[in-house]
Amino acid sequence: LELSSDEENGGFRLPWGIRKRLLQKGISEERPISGDEVKVHLQGKLQDGNISITSSDEAFTFVIDQRPREVIQGLELGVQTMTKGEVAEFTIAPRFAYDDLG
């Protein structure tokens, strides 16, 4: 699954089922691509509000498009739309999270 360009919004269009809310702009225009190692701070919550994963003090590191996948597909796709220093909130549908497709 690839991201498509969304020139009107100056970024990338995520597939239906992944929604991004920008909380803080990044400090560059460069985005990670396949094979890049990224470090993120994250907190994953389930719909009921329970925290499923967190990276409190130490950044969580993973490689974009590595197989087997190290993170859920929705997070991997979302991170590819981000720039260094950007803070965003993603809402990820089950098909891009923990079910058979994600």
Side-chain angles (χ1 to χ4, degrees):
L1 189 62
E2 295 182 10
L3 300 174
S4 58
S5 181
D6 184 1
E7 299 303 327
E8 285 183 8
N9 295 319
F12 295 91
R13 186 176 314 126
L14 288 162
W16 181 90
I18 304 174
R19 187 175 64 228
K20 177 181 178 179
R21 186 171 73 129
L22 182 64
L23 303 176
Q24 177 182 312
K25 284 190 71 140
I27 58 173
S28 75
E29 294 299 315
E30 192 174 334
R31 291 178 169 79
I33 59 171
S34 183
D36 284 350
E37 181 178 88
V38 295
K39 293 182 180 185
V40 297
H41 287 278
L42 63 95
Q43 182 179 70
K45 292 183 183 178
L46 302 174
Q47 285 184 332
D48 64 7
N50 286 323
I51 295 173
S52 62
I53 186 172
T54 187
S55 66
S56 313
D57 298 327
E58 190 173 326
F60 181 77
T61 303
F62 68 95
V63 176
I64 300 289
D65 288 334
Q66 180 170 317
R67 299 295 181 260
R69 187 175 279 124
E70 297 177 290
V71 297
I72 62 171
Q73 185 179 25
L75 177 61
E76 187 173 270
L77 292 169
V79 166
Q80 290 179 70
T81 71
M82 299 179 75
T83 61
K84 185 174 185 173
E86 183 176 306
V87 178
E89 179 180 280
F90 293 95
T91 303
I92 300 171
R95 68 177 285 209
F96 294 107
Y98 294 109
D99 77 0
D100 291 342
L101 298 176

